[in-house]
Amino acid sequence: GENVEQHPSTLSVQEGDSAVIKCTYSDSASNYFPWYKQELGKGPQLIIDIRSNVGEKKDQRIAVTLNKTAKHFSLHITETQPEDSAVYFCAANTGGFKTIFGAGTRLFVKA
Amino acid sequence: DSGVTQTPKHLITATGQRVTLRCSPRSGDLSVYWYQQSLDQGLQFLIQYYNGEERAKGNILERFSAQQFPDLHSELNLSSLELGDSALYFCASSATGTSSFNEQFFGPGTRLTVL
């Protein structure tokens, strides 16, 4: 069935360094890939998304890349700040009604 | 604040019991999604309703059921509760009937503890 694998499960970086989170999806029909950030005690919030007809998308310090051939997509955060500390979820959608989420990456940014 | 409200915030109950979780979507959103988040696990999609009708089903147990009312609020009913049902339950809403190309707005969640 549909599956999204996410790595690493935990990531610790120094403030100012970059962080990269990688995901792999199984359903080749997937065409929409959102990323959500979940802060402690809150619900997830969309931070960036990418469609399958685009290879890369940037929004300030955040970028997402997509390799459809390899069925990989990644989140890149540059110049990390302590407020970037949170759990990040990747997800994939086939254009239907179900969004499949990865298991999440807990990011710690050390000041 | 996402505009999605969930009640109650916390719920503690015993095994075998039945509980109801409530969700009000953002104003104007027609779709409601329910997710379960267990400890150290991702978001497991349970079920989606669109404008009062069931639209998609995920890994929802037969002991669980949901509905969406004419005012678009939704309730998730969990019965014959087991210890393993302890989790955070999130409700999300979106404007249209598909979660594709369509941001989902999540509520703050209901933490269910089954003792």
Side-chain angles (χ1 to χ4, degrees), chain B residues 21-43:
Chain B
L21 312 184
R22 195 178 192 279
C23 168
S24 291
R26 282 191 331 154
S27 177
D29 282 359
L30 299 178
S31 276
V32 169
Y33 309 79
W34 286 98
Y35 291 89
Q36 180 191 58
Q37 185 177 36
S38 302
L39 194 64
D40 292 332
Q41 289 193 18
L43 293 155

Side-chain angles (χ1 to χ4, degrees), chain B residues 73-114:
Chain B
H73 92 269
S74 178
E75 293 181 355
L76 179 67
N77 301 295
L78 315 175
S79 61
S80 304
L81 285 168
E82 302 175 358
L83 296 177
D85 297 327
S86 295
L88 261 174
Y89 290 84
F90 285 104
C91 166
S93 72
S94 68
T96 67
T98 173
S99 58
S100 187
F101 313 127
N102 204 1
E103 179 174 359
Q104 294 182 58
F105 295 87
F106 283 80
T110 293
R111 182 171 292 281
L112 173 66
T113 302
V114 182

Side-chain angles (χ1 to χ4, degrees), chain A residues 31-32 36 38 41-46 51 89 93-99 101-104 106, chain B residues 33 35 37 41-43 45 48 55-58 90 97-104 106-108:
Chain A
N31 59 6
Y32 174 63
Y36 284 82
Q38 185 178 18
K42 297 184 179 180
Q45 183 176 12
L46 181 72
R51 301 186 180 200
F89 293 98
N93 188 294
T94 59
F97 310 117
K98 282 197 286 187
T99 297
F101 285 82
R106 190 174 295 275
Chain B
Y33 309 79
Y35 291 89
Q37 185 177 36
Q41 289 193 18
L43 293 155
F45 170 69
Q48 178 203 357
R55 180 59 70 97
K57 242 179 181 177
F90 285 104
T98 173
S99 58
S100 187
F101 313 127
N102 204 1
E103 179 174 359
Q104 294 182 58
F106 283 80

